[in-house]
Amino acid sequence: MSYTTQMDAAKKGIITKEMEIVAQKENMDVKKLMALIAEGKIAIPANKNHKNINPDGIGQGLRTKINVNLGISKDCPNIDVELEKVKVALDMKVEAIMDLSSFGKTEEFRRKLIDMSPAMIGTVPIYDAVGFYDKELKDITAEEFLDVVEKHGKDGVDFVTIHAGINKETAEVFKRNKRITNIVSRGGSLLYAWMELNQQENPFFQHYDKLLDICEKYDITISLGDACRPGSINDATDACQIKELMVLGELTLRAWERNVQVMIEGPGHMAINEIEANMLLEKKLCHGAPFYVLGPIVTDIAPGYDHITSAIGGAIAASHGADFLCYVTPAEHLRLPNLDDMKEGIIASKIAAHAGDIAKNVNGAREWDNEMSRRRQKLDWEGMFKLAIDPEKARRYRRESMPEHADSCTMCGKMCSMRNMNKIMEGKDINILRED
């Protein structure tokens, strides 16, 4: 029996090789996985043309995944630098990379990225449109926007961010409800500007069925972008954010009717006490579709430390149902991240995702922590390093300050609680002041 997309296969009761791989990774019964894909609660972004993909699932009951944003810009157009970041990100086992290139040889970078990456690849086609056509934004036609999506599909892109929810109705709600930071989504602001300049409906909303044709053809997952995501905690959970979310819920159902997989994108900047409610709203309004969040960044005052502000929000979001975290680096709001910024962002997001998985009781999440605790109790330093989320940094810290006694560290020395409790539990004496 033939099928067009992972969702189409799932509805027909066909277990694909991608489903088998994901089920094994997640230690989930493959028939349960298939049922959740058929319902739209899990997506496996895997373009038919991405030949070397090692697929991952995103959604209900699965590990929280993380995404890394990379790509060239007009101010930083060095492809080799970005490809080096790609290599390191893949070495760090990220599940997804988004190519946000917006200048120059975007096609060259995108194709190299897809060829070398077993991780899923995402793009924001509207970023590519201005450079690809060498036209001012207002002069690009609706058909040309869709043609860029088709081009990305042919190249093997697994998921595309499409800001289809900022239609005329949503724009009117935005105009009536003032914000401090207006529209901070880059793609969302470009589409809003195009609509205002041309006095026309959002082309991705107006021609949504044509967009679905393209996505079904290549099995591209639509990541429905949140043009109205809050760019400050003041703007969170306001009228236009919720209005757009309602539109995205309607677009989700239309996509599922065509067997096109969907993810929903979410905030953004948001106070801690609003995160849980936002996760519930998305799952309710968008029918349980996987939720992909940027942050949320929980305070606006920490430029240079937004990998921390977002990890706080990401952990809370994941614990309440977010399925996919977009990393945030220390360079957020300041500049294009360098290699070290990227590493810090990845580690912070991995910590947040894992913390969320513990709270969600994801299969096997706690066992990692429990095994680390057992190694600590035994003062098994090498075992601890192997289990660490960043073994290199853990080894370096220990190496930089070696203790007199190997069964301790330079913080506590022979007063180490683990060392002394082990001795007492074994019926031995404790010699803190005496030599061994």
Side-chain angles (χ1 to χ4, degrees), residues 282-347:
E282 185 278 338
K283 291 292 183 178
K284 283 283 190 180
L285 294 175
C286 297
H287 319 289
F291 200 16
Y292 174 24
V293 298
L294 177 67
I297 290 173
V298 296
T299 177
D300 299 330
I301 59 152
Y305 297 91
D306 277 329
H307 59 311
I308 296 173
T309 63
S310 74
I312 294 168
I316 296 168
S319 72
H320 290 293
D323 306 290
F324 194 19
L325 305 182
C326 185
Y327 91 150
V328 175
T329 77
E332 184 77 9
H333 304 113
L334 301 171
R335 60 169 166 80
L336 191 76
N338 63 24
L339 187 60
D340 289 336
D341 297 328
M342 184 194 74
K343 289 180 181 178
E344 288 193 57
I346 290 172
I347 294 298

Side-chain angles (χ1 to χ4, degrees), residues 89 245 395:
L245 193 59
R395 290 179 193 277

Side-chain angles (χ1 to χ4, degrees), residues 110-316:
R110 181 171 62 252
R111 288 182 173 177
K112 286 183 177 180
L113 171 61
I114 292 167
D115 286 345
M116 69 190 291
S117 176
M120 65 185 101
I121 300 300
T123 59
V124 189
I126 193 172
Y127 293 177
D128 194 23
V130 176
F132 180 73
Y133 292 114
D134 194 22
K135 286 184 177 181
E136 284 300 332
L137 177 67
K138 70 180 180 62
D139 297 325
I140 300 173
T141 66
E143 183 179 359
E144 287 172 332
F145 280 127
L146 291 168
D147 285 346
V148 172
V149 179
E150 174 99 31
K151 185 172 185 57
H152 286 209
K154 285 181 179 178
D155 287 344
V157 170
D158 303 297
F159 65 98
V160 289
T161 292
I162 302 291
H163 301 87
I166 177 89
N167 59 9
K168 284 185 175 181
E169 287 185 7
T170 306
E172 287 303 314
V173 174
F174 162 70
K175 291 174 186 177
R176 292 196 302 268
N177 294 270
K178 299 301 181 186
R179 290 174 145 194
I180 291 178
T181 50
N182 294 316
I183 294 176
V184 300
S185 161
R186 191 185 345 172
S189 66
L190 290 171
L191 272 172
Y192 178 80
W194 186 93
M195 292 164 64
E196 290 292 297
L197 291 167
N198 290 289
Q199 289 299 295
Q200 292 185 35
E201 180 59 278
N202 179 342
F204 291 118
F205 180 81
Q206 185 173 1
H207 302 285
Y208 192 63
D209 287 329
K210 292 181 179 178
L211 175 66
L212 295 178
D213 289 340
I214 297 168
C215 293
E216 183 182 23
K217 181 178 179 181
Y218 300 100
D219 198 1
I220 305 170
T221 298
I222 295 182
S223 189
L224 287 170
D226 51 339
C228 296
R229 73 169 182 262
S232 62
I233 61 170
N234 177 80
D235 297 344
T237 325
D238 68 351
C240 63
Q241 180 196 335
I242 304 306
K243 168 63 179 174
E244 183 181 35
L245 193 59
M246 293 167 66
V247 176
L248 298 185
E250 295 172 354
L251 295 175
T252 296
L253 294 179
R254 287 175 60 185
W256 286 347
E257 288 173 1
R258 296 285 304 279
N259 297 318
V260 173
Q261 300 183 103
V262 174
M263 298 187 292
I264 307 296
E265 298 189 11
H269 294 234
M270 180 167 288
I272 284 175
N273 60 305
E274 296 181 43
I275 295 174
E276 180 179 358
N278 270 262
M279 301 305 107
L280 176 63
L281 276 171
E282 185 278 338
K283 291 292 183 178
K284 283 283 190 180
L285 294 175
C286 297
H287 319 289
F291 200 16
Y292 174 24
V293 298
L294 177 67
I297 290 173
V298 296
T299 177
D300 299 330
I301 59 152
Y305 297 91
D306 277 329
H307 59 311
I308 296 173
T309 63
S310 74
I312 294 168
I316 296 168

